[in-house]
Each structure stands twice: as C-alpha cells, then as structure tokens.
Amino acid sequence: MRFRDTAFSLALCALLAAPCALYASDKLGLELPSWLTADDAYYLEGGIVNAHLSENISLAGFRSGALQEALEGEVGNYIPCKAAALLGNAALQRAFIGASNVAFQWAAYPAFYGCEYAVIPGDGRMMAFPQASNTEHAALAEEVSEGLGDASERWPDKRFFGYLATDSHYVAGGPLHSLVSNGVTYGQIQGSLAMSAQEITWVDGSVTYDEFNEMWYKTDHHWKTQGAYLAYQRLADAMGIPDDDRVRPDFEALEAPLFRGTFARSGLDSDYADEVSYVPTSYFDSLVVEVKGEERSPESLVHREKYAAGNWDDDPFANHYGEFFHGDYGLMSISDPESKASGSLLIVADSYSNCMEYFFAGSFEKVYVCDPRHYDGTIDTILNEYPGVDDVLFLMRDAEFVSAETLAFLSE
C-alpha cells in the first residue's frame, strides 16, 4: 500500500474518532483545558487549518490527492496538545541550528528549518529575512506612484503627504541586511513611490537599526507607540502642525499581557515578547468616534478599560496589537469637540496607524481614516463626500502601500 493511501486511511479513522471523543466529553460534562486540545494552536503557523473538506469530496478530489490533504488538515485541527507539539518541534530544530552556529557565530539564524523569520539572540528579538528586489514589485510601485500623482492633480486644492513606514525587511545596518545581495532598500521603495508623485510631500520614515530595535516590536512587524510617535513628530513638522502640549511621549506600558506578534507566531518561538504601550493624551476621553456612521466611545480606539479589567484573549500568541488598539476599518472618523482647530485630515493607512490616529485629533476639526483594504470606494469618493478635507496623508508600510488595493483606491 502506498504511503498516501496509508495516510489517508489513518486520517479517515482519526476523523471518525475525533467527533466521538468530543461527543463523549460533552456528554460527560468534561471541559478539556485548552492546552490539551488544538485551541492554543489557533494563532500558530501550522495551527488551525481551513481544510475545505466539503469542496474536495469527489472522485476528482481523491485522484488528485486534494481530498486526502483536506482530511489530514481537518484531522490536524483535533490533535491534542497541538500547540506544544508545534512549538516543541520548532524549538528542537532551533537547538540544532544554534548548536551548529557555535562554529559560524552568525548573529541571526532561522527560527526553524525553512522559516522566513530569524531569531537574533544578541538583541533578544526576531525579524523577517530581507526580500530581494523583483521587477513585479518595482512595476507595481511605479503604477501606485502614477496613481498618487494623478490623484494630487485631480485635487489641486488639497495638500498631499506620503510616509512609508519602515518594515523589518529593509532596515539598514541590521544583522540580516547583508544576507541578500540585491535586497530591496527603503530608499528604493520610497524613490519608486515618489517617481511620478512629485506634487506629494514625502516625509522620510527611515530609521537606523538601533532606532528600529528600540521602537519596533521584537516579535512583530508593527512599530511600538514609540515608533509611531517618532513618525508623528516628523509629520507634524512637515505639515506645519503646531506643537501640542496635550500629546507628549509619556508612554504608558502594559505589564500584562505580553505580546508575541507575527514573527513569534509564524516562527513558532515563545522566547521573546513585548509590552504594549500607548500615549494617554489629555483630550482622549472627549473624542467622538464614528465607524460606518455609528458613534462609538474613545475606548474603541484604545481599549484601556477593557485591559485594565483583565479582559483580553489569554492565548500566549494572541494579537494584542489589534486587540488593544483596534481592528482595521474601511472608514472611520475622529473628532475632538473641545478642539478649536479648523480643517480636516484624511489618513489613508494600513494597521500601522491604529495606534496613532488620535494624535492628530487635537490639530484638526475632524480626522478621517481609510484603510483601502476594507473600503469599496476610491479617494475621489471620500473627497467628494467630505469636501472639508484639506490634507491627505498616505501612511503605510510597503506591503500595503505597493498593493493592488491601494492602486484601485487611487483610481478615478
């Protein structure tokens, strides 16, 4: 019997057995701890799998092996102690890689064999391996640049600003920077975006490795609030925003829960973690927030009360950046009724802005925030609906800035 047939038979037996075990535990009133089930693997690489089982139950699915693969994936969702198994296997591989590194003394090495994320023990952090330059990315960046230029020409009465947020892929001077001979750089990406968008004021978002190491999460691609505040300072200077005494870098850090982000979840490494922090502006409690026309409390921007009460996802790999701040909305608005500022700002952003949008609320009558990934209209849709917008700020990392969604958003 071939290996695939054997695996298929075992998977089928396990698939039949798993519901029986779950049924029995339910009838007996047993509540299994999460570590004994697959629940703790929800966030992990290789964790809960969308097996698409029903789509592959056919003779064609069996012949191609898609049915067997779907069955194995579905069965894997019921493996007891799955998180411990995944983390243990990756840790064992890291131990072997680390042992071999005694001879080579690399500053960084893969989190496990074939992993796209590296551990950097000397800095107590993880990073994504650099990306090589490629023609498709460069061509799309040029198209986005043309879209930005066209949009600024269609709306000559608006001031346009651009801020490319640094990502770990292209931080110069880091231990991974020299591993790719033709790795894409921050300057290359920003240069491509600015090529046909010369009416846009570009604000430099590059940082040194030391700044990155201090101001970006050690287990995630997002910046800490410290990095976001640095961007705010640079943007405020470029946009002529007066110094606001109410927005100060008095960072409040959460002692718990610790945040293990994308790098840790995909690298299957629990050794590193971060505190989440925020800036408690004095006007925060008076903010008016609207999402899809529905008024919400300032708490929807930064969930301080929820976390202070200990109400959070206690999975060790939960996405506390998205949970503590907020998820990604297609369009939302923020305003401070006590502000005497005039004019409105439109921020076109990805999740990098989620921890910092309210910084601008005291300097504008209203701040609109749009995430092109979740918005069906275009920039013209928003500017026609809200003619009071004076300034437009594009603030994203490369993965979302240079994307089909942003290109579509810029179209007429």
Side-chain angles (χ1 to χ4, degrees):
M1 183 179 289
R2 293 181 303 168
F3 174 78
R4 170 174 284 179
D5 295 332
T6 303
F8 173 69
S9 300
L10 292 172
L12 183 59
C13 292
L15 183 64
L16 294 172
C20 295
L22 293 175
Y23 176 80
S25 65
D26 180 62
K27 287 298 181 182
L28 292 173
L30 299 176
E31 185 174 343
L32 298 176
S34 62
W35 61 266
L36 190 55
T37 68
D39 290 351
D40 284 354
Y42 180 81
Y43 293 97
L44 297 177
E45 182 78 13
I48 304 301
V49 177
N50 189 351
H52 303 292
L53 185 59
S54 61
E55 300 174 13
N56 293 292
I57 298 179
S58 65
L59 185 58
F62 178 78
R63 286 175 176 169
S64 66
L67 175 58
Q68 295 91 317
E69 184 177 344
L71 275 168
E72 291 165 11
E74 183 66 18
V75 169
N77 292 335
Y78 298 96
I79 293 176
C81 306
K82 188 173 186 180
L86 291 170
L87 293 168
N89 181 46
L92 183 62
Q93 293 185 43
R94 261 193 312 280
F96 282 114
I97 297 172
S100 66
N101 188 41
V102 172
F104 298 100
Q105 293 298 302
W106 295 314
Y109 47 82
F112 56 84
Y113 293 115
C115 183
E116 61 182 300
Y117 300 102
V119 294
I120 307 171
D123 293 329
R125 70 170 306 116
M126 303 177 70
M127 291 179 70
F129 279 106
Q131 295 178 335
S133 301
N134 66 80
T135 55
E136 285 124 11
H137 179 274
L140 183 55
E142 290 181 16
E143 287 187 76
V144 171
S145 178
E146 291 173 5
L148 287 166
D150 292 343
S152 65
E153 289 178 4
R154 292 197 304 273
W155 299 93
D157 60 324
K158 319 291 184 189
R159 297 194 306 168
F160 279 72
F161 298 87
Y163 193 96
L164 175 66
T166 295
D167 201 349
S168 74
H169 293 299
Y170 39 78
V171 177
L176 304 179
H177 183 64
S178 62
L179 298 182
V180 178
S181 59
N182 62 335
V184 65
T185 67
Y186 181 93
Q188 287 174 337
I189 300 171
Q190 189 186 55
S192 295
L193 289 170
M195 186 179 300
S196 300
Q198 299 180 8
E199 297 302 315
I200 290 182
T201 300
W202 289 93
V203 181
D204 184 25
S206 63
V207 296
T208 65
Y209 177 70
D210 287 341
E211 290 172 325
F212 176 85
N213 201 34
E214 178 185 355
M215 298 182 183
W216 267 248
Y217 288 110
K218 295 184 182 299
T219 64
D220 196 66
H221 57 276
H222 287 102
W223 51 25
K224 296 179 182 179
T225 307
Q226 288 85 341
Y229 186 81
L230 174 65
Y232 168 74
Q233 287 181 305
R234 293 177 176 181
L235 287 165
D237 184 59
M239 299 169 74
I241 295 175
D243 188 31
D244 191 341
D245 292 335
R246 299 173 301 171
V247 185
R248 284 281 177 251
D250 301 322
F251 304 107
E252 292 282 345
L254 307 180
E255 294 183 1
L258 293 178
F259 174 43
R260 295 176 176 86
T262 301
F263 301 163
R265 296 193 295 267
S266 297
L268 298 173
D269 193 338
S270 60
D271 289 345
Y272 310 115
D274 294 284
E275 292 181 338
V276 177
S277 62
Y278 67 100
V279 174
T281 60
S282 60
Y283 57 77
F284 184 84
D285 291 329
S286 66
L287 294 178
V288 175
V289 182
E290 287 189 12
V291 180
K292 297 180 180 179
E294 176 187 338
E295 187 170 325
R296 301 190 183 182
S297 71
E299 177 78 5
S300 64
L301 297 177
V302 183
H303 294 86
R304 301 174 304 170
E305 296 175 6
K306 174 183 174 182
Y307 270 59
N311 298 324
W312 58 69
D313 187 338
D314 59 2
D315 188 295
F317 290 91
N319 179 15
H320 292 297
Y321 178 86
E323 190 179 83
F324 179 69
F325 294 109
H326 63 80
D328 303 326
Y329 303 122
L331 183 64
M332 63 182 292
S333 67
I334 309 169
S335 58
D336 175 14
E338 299 178 4
S339 173
K340 298 179 181 179
S342 60
S344 296
L345 167 68
L346 169 62
I347 302 176
V348 182
D350 55 16
S351 56
Y352 267 58
S353 75
N354 294 4
C355 64
M356 67 177 295
E357 298 131 349
Y358 64 97
F359 294 176
F360 295 92
S363 302
F364 292 89
E365 183 178 350
K366 184 163 282 191
V367 176
Y368 300 95
V369 185
C370 175
D371 188 330
R373 298 170 298 175
H374 306 283
Y375 183 71
D376 293 332
T378 66
I379 186 171
D380 290 2
T381 307
I382 298 176
L383 295 181
N384 280 317
E385 186 172 355
Y386 305 107
V389 171
D390 299 299
D391 294 338
V392 180
L393 166 62
F394 283 81
L395 184 152
M396 294 180 242
R397 69 170 182 152
D398 170 52
E400 283 74 49
F401 219 142
V402 183
S403 69
E405 291 82 5
T406 298
L407 186 60
F409 177 77
L410 291 165
S411 63
E412 293 188 63

